[in-house]
Amino acid sequence: MAEQSKHPEYHSEYVAVQIPLAQDISLQEVCEEVIKPDTVGQRVPASHRIDQDAPKIVLSTLNARFFHTSFGLRYLYANLKELQAFCEIKEFIIQTRAMDIVEQILASKPDIIGFGVYIWNISETTDVVNLLKVIAPEIKIILGGPEVSYETQDQAIVNCADYVLTGPADISFYALCKSIINDAAPDQKILKSKPIPLKDIALPYQYYTDDDLKNRLLYVEASRGCPFKCEFCLSALDTTSTPFELESFLEQMEILYQRGARNFKFIDRTFNLNIKTTIKIMQFFLERMTDDLYLHFEVVPDHLPDKLKVLLAQFPVGSLQFEVGIQTFNTEVQANISRKQNNTKSKDNLIWLRDNTSAHIHADLIFGLPGETFDSFKESFNQLYHCRPHEIQLGILKRLKGSPIIRHTKAFDLRFNPLPPFNILSTDRVGFSTMQKINRFARYWDMIGNSGRFKYTLPHVLSDKPFDEFMAITQWIYDKTGQSHNISLKKLYEFFSQAIEALFPEKHALVISKLKEDYSASKLKSVFEGLNLYAVQHVEPVSKNKSLQRQQRHMS
């Protein structure tokens, strides 16, 4: 899982496995650590196997937003064998009150609850688990997912749960549920699962509901793992990238397509690593192109051979989005984090994609990497801006449990927030106040640069030094408002115009004309002419009426 990308919610918290129904398994076979040594290696007697009175299992997680779907829970569900009949998936969002989540889960009368735990839902899930253990302590709670797979024992949520399955745990989740049901549960709380071959995985795509297909993002994966070792990312722990069997995968995509699926978000870390496979998948979708088909891929920026370029140029507007991880153009920082990237090729490919395809380009930078300075980050931003991606996502380094980035903690004085999302607060090169400025820059850039609401205006504001110019705008708006959140769209248009007048008065007249186009596209109900577009109020001279003139003469 590459948490520094923005979309961790779609990574499976376990690797799933398919086992013939006739085969019985023990926890020892799927975990490296098991207690109850007297039961190790024993088979569950037929008389004790699951029947219609089997306890109920609920699989749950808190997604970041409603339109996300939990890919990981569906993998777990797909591999529960005979227990699947006694299991249901309950997904929530992090904005829902913990008490309301608990009420809905308990309404299913579960005996076992499995939670997928991630960096973005750890706080909220901890609250839910704490409440469950107070209200219904008899329920067995099993945790899994990247956030509890490392530094596990020190976490508050682990203290109030019954079991934690780390690593590729689909078989062990099934086996643990069976052992609990058969009164043979292990004494050990933390169980480390063994790696599972991809060929044994039961794919979860049939468990996307019709409602999912209609209203939510569908996450799919043609491969797992990553051959690169970028230390800010948990994928650095992978040994390689391993593909699923291509024909079986495409069969599943065809089934989804025939069911009406049109939004496919690939979570492969290196989708264009194996160009032969990439071309087959792209050709599959190109042959089924419709006006509403949408594909999202994460691509390696410096690997775009001509064969792939020819194919990409054939996709129509609105059908492709590429997420391109740049992170930094600073070669010293790249070396510090073990990132291999040909910067020249990356920039050339970004420009080629913008000039020769209709793909929407979303490029990433990360601030706070070991060795990065304010000036070197500024240079990376400027270079990336001139490559003209549609969006530049400015991420702040996060400390992912288990990621190799922590080896630099002492050498670069990396200081991370002790609370989620564990973002970097300062380094030996960047103080806390500067870090806060970049946080605000990133927030305002999302509202103005990435939102698409200023697409006619912004190119006439930023020039050869876009970072400095936008930083000045950021600082002006923050000084005026004291906030970077809860700014209405109408006010944002006003503040942006006022900032331009104050900072770049020679551009203001043109900015107002372009801003009117952006405002019209926003479809806000208020009239553009009613906006306060000036930093200094412009007051038109008003002639005095005759009665006021007579009154003034009388008083003089």
Side-chain angles (χ1 to χ4, degrees):
M1 186 189 78
E3 166 60 25
Q4 300 307 332
S5 73
K6 285 74 39 226
H7 312 285
E9 64 277 356
Y10 43 70
H11 289 269
S12 58
E13 54 264 25
Y14 312 97
V15 175
V17 183
Q18 185 177 34
I19 304 173
L21 293 182
Q23 180 183 349
D24 219 351
I25 59 172
S26 69
L27 273 175
Q28 184 187 34
E29 291 174 302
V30 293
C31 291
E32 295 178 7
E33 309 148 24
V34 202
I35 25 250
K36 289 248 181 203
D38 54 320
T39 65
V40 168
Q42 294 181 10
R43 302 291 183 181
V44 180
S47 60
H48 289 198
R49 290 175 190 163
I50 308 303
D51 57 25
Q52 292 302 314
D53 296 323
K56 180 70 174 292
I57 302 169
V58 168
L59 286 169
S60 186
T61 195
L62 281 65
N63 297 321
R65 297 180 183 178
F66 169 76
F67 61 80
H68 295 153
T69 51
S70 176
F71 203 25
L73 294 189
R74 284 161 178 77
Y75 265 113
L76 285 177
Y77 185 81
N79 291 276
L80 272 177
K81 297 175 61 178
E82 76 277 11
L83 297 185
Q84 190 183 90
F86 309 100
C87 178
E88 67 175 307
I89 293 175
K90 283 185 169 289
E91 297 177 83
F92 303 93
I93 56 173
I94 56 176
Q95 292 81 10
T96 305
R97 292 193 320 153
M99 196 72 72
D100 295 333
I101 293 173
V102 169
E103 181 181 13
Q104 292 183 56
I105 289 176
L106 291 179
S108 295
K109 297 180 169 38
D111 299 278
I112 300 171
I113 307 173
F115 282 103
V117 188
Y118 302 88
I119 192 171
W120 72 88
N121 71 13
I122 177 67
S123 296
E124 294 82 1
T125 308
T126 300
D127 293 341
V128 170
V129 172
N130 271 316
L131 281 172
L132 283 168
K133 275 303 177 185
V134 171
I135 299 168
E138 71 280 2
I139 296 176
K140 299 300 181 183
I141 294 179
I142 305 172
L143 307 178
E147 188 58 26
V148 293
S149 288
Y150 304 92
E151 304 174 28
T152 307
Q153 293 178 329
D154 299 330
Q155 300 189 51
I157 192 172
V158 173
N159 293 334
C160 55
D162 294 286
Y163 298 100
V164 181
L165 294 173
T166 70
D170 279 84
I171 290 180
S172 57
F173 179 77
Y174 162 75
L176 178 56
C177 287
K178 262 193 106 166
S179 66
I180 291 171
I181 291 167
N182 288 291
D183 296 323
D187 299 322
Q188 188 171 329
K189 173 180 282 192
I190 301 171
L191 303 169
K192 183 178 179 181
S193 305
K194 294 178 180 179
I196 307 300
L198 291 189
K199 64 181 179 62
D200 294 326
I201 291 178
L203 299 179
Y205 301 111
Q206 64 179 303
Y207 302 112
Y208 281 127
T209 66
D210 291 341
D211 185 64
D212 293 334
L213 269 62
K214 182 178 179 181
N215 299 311
R216 293 171 140 187
L217 289 173
L218 300 187
Y219 300 110
V220 302
E221 56 180 355
S223 65
R224 278 193 182 167
C226 182
F228 303 110
K229 301 299 177 185
C230 307
E231 296 178 11
F232 56 81
C233 178
L234 278 178
S235 294
L237 304 178
D238 298 333
T239 56
T240 187
S241 176
T242 306
F244 286 87
E245 200 280 315
L246 184 58
E247 294 307 314
S248 297
F249 172 76
L250 291 179
E251 286 176 7
Q252 293 296 317
M253 296 304 98
E254 176 67 18
I255 293 171
L256 283 177
Y257 184 87
Q258 293 300 328
R259 289 179 60 198
R262 292 297 182 268
N263 291 308
F264 296 83
K265 189 162 188 175
F266 280 73
I267 66 171
D268 303 57
R269 287 286 150 224
T270 50
F271 180 73
N272 59 327
L273 185 67
N274 185 324
I275 295 300
K276 184 177 179 181
T277 298
T278 303
I279 288 176
K280 286 184 178 181
I281 293 173
M282 299 294 284
Q283 189 66 50
F284 171 88
F285 284 105
L286 187 60
E287 291 171 357
R288 292 159 178 78
M289 183 54 59
T290 58
D291 291 341
D292 56 349
L293 183 61
Y294 171 81
L295 308 169
H296 179 118
F297 301 103
E298 190 168 329
V299 300
V300 182
D302 55 6
H303 188 51
L304 212 63
D306 290 340
K307 287 183 179 180
L308 182 55
K309 287 181 176 180
V310 170
L311 191 59
L312 296 180
Q314 299 178 47
F315 280 80
V317 175
S319 61
L320 288 181
Q321 175 163 324
F322 291 149
E323 186 171 333
V324 184
I326 297 298
Q327 320 312 358
T328 180
F329 283 125
N330 186 317
T331 55
E332 291 185 11
V333 175
Q334 289 171 346
N336 288 340
I337 61 173
S338 306
R339 181 174 179 82
K340 295 181 179 180
Q341 179 174 284
N342 185 318
N343 289 336
T344 300
K345 280 188 177 181
S346 295
K347 287 183 278 190
D348 288 345
N349 286 338
L350 282 171
I351 294 171
W352 184 91
L353 286 169
R354 188 63 199 266
D355 289 342
N356 297 279
T357 76
S358 299
H360 183 90
I361 311 301
H362 176 115
D364 301 330
L365 290 177
I366 296 177
F367 186 68
L369 294 169
E372 191 83 83
T373 66
F374 179 87
D375 288 337
S376 66
F377 182 77
K378 174 172 67 175
E379 183 60 27
S380 288
F381 180 90
N382 288 341
Q383 291 181 51
L384 184 55
Y385 179 83
H386 290 302
C387 293
R388 305 182 354 260
H390 298 87
E391 296 180 54
I392 299 177
Q393 182 70 42
L394 301 174
I396 306 300
L397 179 66
K398 298 177 181 65
R399 183 190 182 278
L400 302 183
K401 294 177 178 63
S403 64
I405 197 77
I406 59 175
R407 74 182 182 93
H408 296 295
T409 299
K410 184 176 181 180
F412 291 93
D413 194 18
L414 305 180
R415 302 189 184 190
F416 291 93
N417 189 340
L419 302 175
F422 312 114
N423 51 297
I424 189 78
L425 299 176
S426 66
T427 73
D428 64 335
R429 316 292 169 93
V430 181
F432 175 69
S433 62
T434 301
M435 195 70 69
Q436 287 295 90
K437 288 180 180 179
I438 296 295
N439 272 291
R440 287 192 288 272
F441 185 104
R443 172 60 182 161
Y444 285 126
W445 183 259
D446 270 346
M447 293 190 292
I448 297 172
N450 287 339
S451 67
R453 297 188 179 111
F454 296 81
K455 67 177 182 178
Y456 298 115
T457 309
L458 197 59
H460 297 284
V461 175
L462 305 184
S463 56
D464 292 339
K465 298 179 179 179
F467 184 92
D468 288 337
E469 291 160 339
F470 197 81
M471 178 59 79
I473 295 169
T474 292
Q475 194 61 48
W476 192 94
I477 297 178
Y478 184 72
D479 288 344
K480 184 174 180 67
T481 65
Q483 61 188 49
S484 57
H485 293 75
N486 301 321
I487 299 175
S488 71
L489 182 54
K490 176 177 176 291
K491 283 293 185 183
L492 187 61
Y493 280 108
E494 292 183 337
F495 293 146
F496 185 70
S497 176
Q498 293 171 23
I500 302 308
E501 186 202 21
L503 298 168
F504 316 109
E506 72 283 358
K507 299 180 180 180
H508 194 233
L510 178 59
V511 161
I512 287 181
S513 66
K514 296 298 179 182
L515 202 62
K516 188 172 184 178
E517 294 183 59
D518 283 320
Y519 195 79
S520 176
S522 74
K523 301 186 183 305
L524 287 172
K525 293 182 179 180
S526 53
V527 179
F528 180 76
E529 284 71 19
L531 299 183
N532 179 12
L533 302 174
Y534 298 92
V536 178
Q537 199 69 23
H538 285 217
V539 180
E540 295 294 334
V542 179
S543 62
K544 300 175 182 178
N545 61 45
K546 292 182 179 180
S547 62
L548 181 58
Q549 291 174 356
R550 284 196 301 268
Q551 182 181 6
Q552 288 180 334
R553 283 198 302 268
H554 177 75
M555 295 177 63
S556 60

